[in-house]
Amino acid sequence: MKPPRTQGASGEGLERRRPTINDVARLAGVSKKTVSRVINGSPFVRADTRERIEAVIAETGYAPDPQARGLAFRRSFLIGLIYDNPNPQYVVNMQNGLLDGMRGSGFELVVHPCERGDPNVLPEIRAFIERQKLFGVVLTPSVSEDDRIAELMDEIGCEYVRVASVPLDEPEHMIETKDRLGGLEAARHLIALGHRRLAFISGPPTFRSSHERLGGFEDGLAEAGLALDPRHVAEGAYTFESGIAAARALLALDRRPTAIFAGNDEMAAGVLQAAREAGLSVPGDLSVVGFDDFQIASRIWPALTTIRTPTREIGRLAAEKLMGREDERRDPKQRLPSLVVRESSGPVPK
Amino acid sequence: MKPPRTQGASGEGLERRRPTINDVARLAGVSKKTVSRVINGSPFVRADTRERIEAVIAETGYAPDPQARGLAFRRSFLIGLIYDNPNPQYVVNMQNGLLDGMRGSGFELVVHPCERGDPNVLPEIRAFIERQKLFGVVLTPSVSEDDRIAELMDEIGCEYVRVASVPLDEPEHMIETKDRLGGLEAARHLIALGHRRLAFISGPPTFRSSHERLGGFEDGLAEAGLALDPRHVAEGAYTFESGIAAARALLALDRRPTAIFAGNDEMAAGVLQAAREAGLSVPGDLSVVGFDDFQIASRIWPALTTIRTPTREIGRLAAEKLMGREDERRDPKQRLPSLVVRESSGPVPK
DNA sequence: CTGAAAGCGCTTACAG
DNA sequence: CTGAAAGCGCTTACAG
C-alpha cells in the first residue's frame, strides 16, 4: 500500500497548524486532562474552569482529533451502514436518515454493502469492523435478520441497531418498521373499494418483510370475513421482472383477481406492465397497490397507490438510538407505514 | 458528546487481543520500524527479512491499525464522496463504483452530501475534511464544477478527483464523462429515424452537463445540416415535474416537434406523461430519448430509448485515480456514454 | 539494510 | 475538583 502524502505537503507554507488539546490547556492555564474532561462532558470540573476552557475552545476553533481520540478510546467515531438491499432509493433514503441523526455528533458514516448469501459475509464484516474499530453499525434487511451477525456484534463489542419489520432483538437494538400494518392498510383500502378477489405477490421468502406484508394483508381480509385464495398468492423477488412474471400468471387464471397487492413498488410496476400486455386497464379492470412509495411510484402510469414507508425517518431514529441520543418525544406514528392513494386503485369492476 | 463504551467491554472475557506491530516485530525478531517498512512497501528491506516478516503477518493475521497509522501520518485512510446530486440511482451507482475501486485497499468510503447553494458549503466541507484528515475526496456534479472547492482541496492538502462532463482541471484530478458525445448519439439516432423537427429539454443551467448535452445534440444536428429552432429548446431542472412542464409547452407549439431529447431520464418520464395527456402516442406521434439509463428508463412505458452513462465504472476509475492505482490498460470506451434503443423512439410520423 | 528515540493527539488509571 | 505519568499503535527523522 502506497503511503499517503503527508498532510500539508502541497500547502502553501502557511502551516497554520490546527490547535491541539495542548494549546487549549496552555491558553486556559489547566492540564490537558482537564480539557479532556470538558470534551467528554465529565461532571468533575468546576463550573468556572469549564467556562474558561470552553471560551478558549470557541476562540481557537479547537476540535478534538477523532483519530487520536479513537486511538486512546480503542474505538473510532465511525458508524457503519451494512446493507444488502439492492434498491438504490432505499439505500439513499436510509443513508440520508442516518446522516440526519448524526449531524453535529462528530460521527461519520461509512457505507458497507455486503451479500448475505456469500459464505464469507461473517468474517468479512468482522474484519471490516475490527479494522476500523467501528463505534457501531446499523443493519438493514435482510442482513438485519441474521442473528449470527447480531451475535458477532456483541462478541466484538460493537454497538448495533437492527432495522427490521418485526422485533428480532432487545428494544435497544431494534427499530421496527411494522410492515404488517402496511399490508393491513392495503387490504382495507381494496376491500373498501369493493374488491373481494384479491391477490398478493410476495418478495423472496428470505426477506422477513415478504411474510409480514402478506400477513398484514391477510389480517385485513380476515376483518372482512375473507380469506386469501392460495392460488392468488404468487412468489416474486422484489424485482420488476419478477413482478411481470407473477402478474402474468395471476392474470391468466380462470377467475382472475380484480386487485393485486404487490410486495413492493418495483413489482407493482411489473404488474402494470403485465396488465398492459393483457389488455387490461388499470384501475378499470384491475386495481394495483404497491409498497414503499419510492420515486418510481409517481413516475409510472397510472401513478401507484402504495404504502409509504418512512425510510429516512427510520434511519434517523436508528442513528439516534445507536448514539444513545434517542428523542422519545417524537410522534411515534411518523415511523409507521401509511397508505398513499393515487391512480392505480379504483372501485371493483361490475 | 458521550464517550463511547470501551471496545470489548461487553465481550466475553476472551480478550484475544488483536496483534500489533510490536507482536509482529517480536515474533519476527526485528524492530517495529522494519515491520513498518514492510507494511509501507519500502524497498530498503532485505528480501529474506521481508519474507520472514510477511510470514509472521500471515500467521498472526496482523492488520495495521488505520487509526494509529493515520495519527502518525497526520492523515486518515478515509475517502470522502462529496455530492449534491439528488438522484438516488446516481449516488448509489457512484458509491458502488468507488467501493469497487477501493476494494482491498484498506481505505473506507465516507459519504458526505452537501448543498452547493448553501453559503456555508465551503467552510462546512473544509471542517469535514480537516476534522477527519481525509486522504482524499471524489467530487461529483455539480459540486465538482466549483473551482473554489478544488482550490480548497489544494490548500488543505487533500487529494481530489473531480467527475465532470468536461476537463475542468489537470488530468490527474479529472474523470471526464464526455456528456457531449451522448448528446451527439441522441441526435444521430433521431435523425436516422427521419426526424427533422427536434426539441431539447435541458437540465438547470447551473449544471455543466445541461450545456454539454445540448451542445452534443446541436453537433449532431449540424452534421445533418440542421439547426435547433430556439423555440424548441426548453429549460428544465432534471426533475420529473419540470419534464412535464417543459414538454407541455413544447407540445403546445404550432408545429410541434416530432422528437424530444430530454436531458435526463426523469424529465423524459415527464415527457411521456405530457404526451399521454395530450393524446399523443409514443413513439407513433412523438419520439422521446432520455439520458442516464437509470432503472426508471426500463420501468416506464414505453421503455425509454436513452443514453447510458457508465456511472459505476466512472466511480471505479475515480477511486483508482485518487489512490494512484489507475489501470490504464482498461478499454477507455467503457467510460463513454452510449445509446440504448428501446421503445420510445421510432420513425418520424408521415 | 536496520534500530532506538521521540512524537502524532488524545485518554486511562492512579494520585492527591 | 485537578494533574503528572504512561500508553493507545503506528511513523518520522536521525543514526549507524
Side-chain angles (χ1 to χ4, degrees):
Chain A
M1 195 184 314
K2 179 184 132 193
R5 192 177 69 182
T6 302
Q7 189 94 20
S10 76
E12 71 285 44
L14 274 176
E15 209 54 42
R16 204 190 36 188
R17 195 172 56 79
R18 292 181 66 209
T20 73
I21 197 172
N22 285 309
D23 301 319
V24 176
R26 188 168 26 77
L27 291 169
V30 297
S31 78
K32 57 197 227 185
K33 175 57 207 166
T34 302
V35 178
S36 173
R37 286 196 181 89
V38 170
I39 295 170
N40 293 295
S42 158
F44 306 114
V45 180
R46 237 174 37 212
D48 58 328
T49 314
R50 173 184 304 280
E51 276 164 30
R52 190 148 36 93
I53 293 172
E54 276 167 352
V56 173
I57 289 178
E59 266 171 49
T60 56
Y62 168 70
D65 181 331
Q67 240 158 5
R69 234 149 84 84
L71 186 60
F73 272 138
R74 290 156 185 71
R75 170 164 259 189
S76 76
F77 291 88
L78 300 176
I79 287 177
L81 168 61
I82 299 185
Y83 66 94
D84 62 342
N85 185 321
N87 189 296
Q89 179 100 46
Y90 181 85
V91 175
V92 165
N93 288 1
M94 178 57 62
Q95 281 182 188
N96 286 337
L98 294 172
L99 291 165
D100 288 345
M102 292 162 62
R103 210 174 309 285
S105 70
F107 284 90
E108 294 292 338
L109 181 66
V110 176
V111 295
H112 194 85
C114 70
E115 289 186 37
R116 220 236 273 204
D118 189 329
N120 258 323
V121 249
L122 245 52
E124 198 275 324
I125 289 178
R126 180 190 203 116
F128 164 58
I129 294 175
E130 291 195 323
R131 255 182 87 76
Q132 300 294 331
K133 295 191 303 229
L134 251 46
F135 172 82
V137 296
V138 172
L139 303 159
T140 65
S142 69
V143 273
S144 63
E145 295 160 7
D146 190 333
D147 285 328
R148 297 171 310 161
I149 298 183
E151 286 161 18
L152 175 62
M153 298 304 136
D154 266 335
E155 187 188 332
I156 61 186
C158 177
E159 303 282 351
Y160 69 93
V161 167
R162 298 162 78 171
V163 174
S165 42
V166 289
L168 300 168
D169 209 319
E170 308 299 313
E172 68 266 29
H173 293 304
M174 277 300 310
I175 300 279
E176 274 181 74
T177 53
K178 310 210 182 196
D179 294 33
R180 197 171 187 100
L181 293 179
L184 178 64
E185 292 283 312
R188 285 178 176 165
H189 171 65
L190 291 169
I191 287 167
L193 288 168
H195 294 275
R196 294 299 175 265
R197 280 209 308 284
L198 300 139
F200 179 72
I201 302 176
S202 80
T206 51
F207 277 69
R208 187 63 184 253
S209 60
S210 299
H211 305 100
E212 291 303 309
R213 293 172 190 184
L214 169 59
F217 196 56
E218 290 179 319
D219 292 348
L221 290 185
E223 281 182 351
L226 301 170
L228 204 50
D229 182 335
R231 289 166 304 181
H232 285 178
V233 178
E235 182 178 318
Y238 279 156
T239 63
F240 178 66
E241 290 72 17
S242 72
I244 296 179
R248 278 182 188 149
L250 290 170
L251 296 177
L253 291 174
D254 266 359
R255 302 193 68 211
R256 59 174 166 74
T258 63
I260 296 180
F261 172 39
N264 71 355
D265 290 346
E266 278 285 310
M267 294 196 298
V271 175
L272 294 188
Q273 177 71 36
R276 203 152 26 221
E277 289 171 7
L280 298 174
S281 91
V282 175
D285 302 316
L286 178 74
S287 283
V288 179
V289 175
F291 204 110
D292 283 337
D293 195 23
F294 288 156
Q295 280 189 5
I296 188 174
S298 44
R299 303 295 185 263
I300 55 181
W301 192 84
L304 211 55
T305 291
T306 188
I307 306 295
R308 192 181 105 84
T309 57
T311 306
R312 183 166 182 164
E313 176 74 4
I314 293 284
R316 193 181 53 68
L317 289 165
E320 289 176 352
K321 177 160 269 189
L322 200 59
M323 302 185 304
R325 300 170 139 205
E326 211 168 354
D327 185 350
E328 299 292 356
R329 293 164 309 179
R330 247 178 248 272
D331 180 4
K333 280 206 189 120
Q334 279 182 24
R335 62 170 89 176
L336 298 182
S338 60
L339 178 71
V340 177
V341 179
R342 294 207 183 87
E343 320 298 332
S344 68
S345 58
V348 65
K350 304 275 153 54
Chain B
M1 198 183 314
K2 179 184 132 193
R5 192 177 70 183
T6 301
Q7 189 95 20
S10 76
E12 71 285 45
L14 274 175
E15 208 54 42
R16 202 189 38 186
R17 196 171 56 79
R18 292 182 65 209
T20 73
I21 197 171
N22 285 309
D23 301 319
V24 176
R26 188 168 26 78
L27 291 169
V30 297
S31 77
K32 58 197 228 186
K33 175 57 207 167
T34 302
V35 178
S36 172
R37 285 196 181 89
V38 170
I39 295 169
N40 293 295
S42 157
F44 304 115
V45 181
R46 237 173 39 210
D48 58 328
T49 315
R50 172 183 305 279
E51 276 163 29
R52 191 147 36 92
I53 293 173
E54 276 167 353
V56 173
I57 288 177
E59 266 171 49
T60 56
Y62 167 70
D65 181 331
Q67 239 158 6
R69 233 149 85 85
L71 186 60
F73 272 138
R74 290 155 185 73
R75 169 164 260 190
S76 77
F77 291 88
L78 300 176
I79 287 176
L81 168 61
I82 299 184
Y83 66 94
D84 62 341
N85 185 323
N87 189 297
Q89 179 100 44
Y90 181 85
V91 174
V92 165
N93 287 0
M94 178 56 63
Q95 281 182 188
N96 286 338
L98 294 172
L99 291 165
D100 288 345
M102 291 161 62
R103 210 173 309 285
S105 69
F107 284 89
E108 295 293 338
L109 181 65
V110 175
V111 295
H112 194 85
C114 69
E115 289 186 37
R116 222 238 270 205
D118 188 329
N120 257 323
V121 250
L122 244 52
E124 198 276 323
I125 289 178
R126 180 190 203 115
F128 163 59
I129 294 175
E130 291 196 322
R131 254 182 86 77
Q132 300 294 330
K133 294 188 304 221
L134 251 46
F135 172 82
V137 295
V138 172
L139 303 160
T140 65
S142 69
V143 273
S144 63
E145 294 160 7
D146 189 333
D147 286 328
R148 296 172 310 160
I149 298 184
E151 285 161 19
L152 174 62
M153 299 304 136
D154 266 335
E155 187 188 333
I156 61 188
C158 177
E159 302 282 350
Y160 69 93
V161 168
R162 299 163 77 171
V163 174
S165 42
V166 289
L168 301 168
D169 208 318
E170 307 300 312
E172 67 266 30
H173 293 304
M174 277 299 310
I175 300 279
E176 274 180 75
T177 53
K178 310 207 183 201
D179 293 33
R180 198 172 185 99
L181 293 179
L184 179 64
E185 293 283 310
R188 285 178 175 164
H189 172 65
L190 291 170
I191 288 168
L193 288 168
H195 293 274
R196 294 297 177 266
R197 279 210 308 284
L198 301 139
F200 178 72
I201 302 176
S202 80
T206 51
F207 277 68
R208 187 63 183 253
S209 60
S210 299
H211 305 100
E212 290 304 308
R213 293 171 190 185
L214 168 60
F217 195 56
E218 290 179 319
D219 291 348
L221 291 185
E223 281 182 352
L226 301 170
L228 204 50
D229 182 336
R231 288 165 306 178
H232 285 179
V233 177
E235 183 179 316
Y238 278 156
T239 63
F240 179 67
E241 290 73 19
S242 73
I244 296 179
R248 278 182 188 147
L250 290 170
L251 296 177
L253 290 174
D254 267 358
R255 301 194 67 210
R256 59 173 165 75
T258 64
I260 297 180
F261 172 39
N264 71 356
D265 290 346
E266 279 285 309
M267 294 197 298
V271 175
L272 294 188
Q273 177 71 34
R276 203 150 30 220
E277 289 172 6
L280 298 174
S281 91
V282 174
D285 302 316
L286 178 74
S287 283
V288 179
V289 175
F291 204 111
D292 282 338
D293 195 24
F294 287 156
Q295 280 189 4
I296 188 174
S298 44
R299 303 295 186 261
I300 55 182
W301 192 85
L304 211 55
T305 291
T306 188
I307 305 296
R308 192 180 106 83
T309 57
T311 306
R312 182 165 182 164
E313 176 74 4
I314 294 283
R316 193 181 54 67
L317 290 165
E320 290 176 352
K321 178 160 271 190
L322 199 59
M323 302 185 303
R325 298 171 139 205
E326 212 168 355
D327 184 350
E328 298 292 358
R329 293 163 310 180
R330 248 177 248 271
D331 180 3
K333 280 205 189 123
Q334 279 181 23
R335 62 170 89 176
L336 298 183
S338 60
L339 178 71
V340 177
V341 179
R342 294 207 183 87
E343 319 299 332
S344 67
S345 58
V348 65
K350 305 273 155 53

Coordinates of all heavy atoms in Angstrom, one line a residue, chain A residues 16 40 43 50 91 98 109-110 120 127 143 152 178 215 248-249 299 318-319 343:
Chain A
R16 N -0.6 27.0 9.1 CA -1.4 27.4 10.3 C -1.9 26.2 11.0 O -3.0 25.8 10.8 CB -2.5 28.4 9.9 CG -2.9 29.3 11.0 CD -4.2 30.0 10.5 NE -5.0 29.1 9.7 CZ -6.1 29.4 9.1 NH1 -6.5 30.7 9.0 NH2 -6.8 28.5 8.4
N40 N -15.2 15.5 27.1 CA -16.0 14.3 27.2 C -17.2 14.5 28.2 O -17.8 13.5 28.6 CB -15.1 13.2 27.7 CG -14.2 12.8 26.6 OD1 -14.6 12.3 25.6 ND2 -12.9 13.0 26.8
P43 N -18.6 15.4 34.7 CA -19.2 16.3 35.7 C -18.1 16.9 36.7 O -18.4 17.8 37.4 CB -20.2 15.5 36.4 CG -19.7 14.1 36.2 CD -18.9 14.0 35.0
R50 N -14.6 25.1 33.7 CA -15.2 24.6 32.4 C -15.5 25.8 31.5 O -15.1 25.8 30.3 CB -16.6 24.0 32.8 CG -17.4 23.6 31.5 CD -18.7 23.0 31.9 NE -18.6 21.8 32.8 CZ -18.3 20.6 32.4 NH1 -18.1 20.4 31.0 NH2 -18.2 19.6 33.2
V91 N -31.5 2.6 -0.2 CA -30.1 2.8 0.4 C -29.9 4.3 0.6 O -29.5 4.7 1.7 CB -29.0 2.3 -0.6 CG1 -27.7 2.7 -0.1 CG2 -29.2 0.8 -0.7
L98 N -29.8 8.4 8.4 CA -28.7 8.2 9.3 C -27.9 9.5 9.5 O -27.6 10.0 10.6 CB -27.8 7.1 8.8 CG -28.4 5.7 8.8 CD1 -27.4 4.7 8.2 CD2 -28.7 5.2 10.2
L109 N -20.3 8.6 8.6 CA -20.9 7.4 8.1 C -20.1 6.7 7.1 O -19.7 7.3 6.1 CB -22.3 7.8 7.5 CG -23.1 6.6 6.9 CD1 -23.6 5.7 8.0 CD2 -24.3 7.1 6.2
V110 N -19.8 5.4 7.3 CA -19.1 4.6 6.4 C -20.0 3.5 5.8 O -20.7 2.8 6.6 CB -17.9 3.9 7.1 CG1 -17.2 2.9 6.2 CG2 -17.0 4.9 7.7
N120 N -18.7 -15.9 3.0 CA -17.7 -15.1 3.6 C -18.2 -13.9 4.4 O -17.4 -13.1 4.9 CB -16.6 -14.7 2.7 CG -15.4 -15.5 2.8 OD1 -15.0 -15.9 3.9 ND2 -14.8 -15.9 1.7
A127 N -14.0 -8.4 9.9 CA -12.7 -7.8 9.6 C -12.9 -6.3 9.4 O -12.1 -5.4 9.9 CB -12.1 -8.4 8.3
V143 N -29.9 -8.4 5.8 CA -28.8 -8.7 6.8 C -29.2 -8.5 8.2 O -28.7 -9.2 9.1 CB -27.5 -7.9 6.6 CG1 -26.6 -8.6 5.6 CG2 -27.7 -6.5 6.3
L152 N -22.3 -11.6 16.5 CA -21.0 -11.2 16.2 C -20.7 -9.8 16.8 O -19.6 -9.5 17.3 CB -20.8 -11.2 14.7 CG -19.4 -10.6 14.1 CD1 -18.3 -11.5 14.6 CD2 -19.5 -10.6 12.6
K178 N -42.7 -2.4 11.2 CA -44.1 -2.8 11.3 C -44.7 -2.9 9.9 O -45.8 -2.3 9.6 CB -44.9 -1.8 12.1 CG -44.2 -1.6 13.5 CD -45.1 -1.3 14.6 CE -44.3 -1.0 15.9 NZ -45.1 -1.1 17.1
G215 N -48.9 -11.3 5.7 CA -49.6 -11.5 7.0 C -50.6 -10.3 7.3 O -51.8 -10.6 7.6
R248 N -48.4 -12.0 -14.7 CA -48.9 -12.8 -15.9 C -49.6 -14.0 -15.5 O -50.7 -14.4 -16.0 CB -47.7 -13.2 -16.8 CG -47.2 -12.1 -17.7 CD -46.1 -12.5 -18.6 NE -45.5 -11.4 -19.3 CZ -44.2 -11.4 -19.7 NH1 -43.4 -12.3 -19.3 NH2 -43.8 -10.3 -20.4
A249 N -49.0 -14.7 -14.5 CA -49.6 -16.0 -14.0 C -51.0 -15.7 -13.4 O -52.0 -16.4 -13.6 CB -48.7 -16.6 -13.0
R299 N -43.8 8.0 -11.0 CA -43.3 8.2 -12.3 C -44.0 7.4 -13.3 O -44.0 7.6 -14.5 CB -41.8 7.9 -12.4 CG -40.9 8.7 -11.4 CD -40.9 10.1 -11.7 NE -40.0 10.9 -10.9 CZ -40.3 11.5 -9.8 NH1 -41.6 11.5 -9.4 NH2 -39.4 12.2 -9.1
A318 N -32.6 5.3 13.9 CA -31.6 4.2 14.1 C -30.3 4.9 14.5 O -29.7 4.4 15.5 CB -31.4 3.4 12.8
A319 N -29.9 6.0 13.9 CA -28.7 6.7 14.2 C -28.8 7.2 15.7 O -27.9 7.0 16.5 CB -28.4 7.8 13.3
E343 N -53.6 6.7 -8.6 CA -54.5 6.4 -9.6 C -54.7 4.9 -9.9 O -55.5 4.6 -10.7 CB -54.0 7.1 -11.0 CG -53.5 8.5 -10.8 CD -54.5 9.4 -10.3 OE1 -55.7 9.2 -10.6 OE2 -54.1 10.4 -9.6

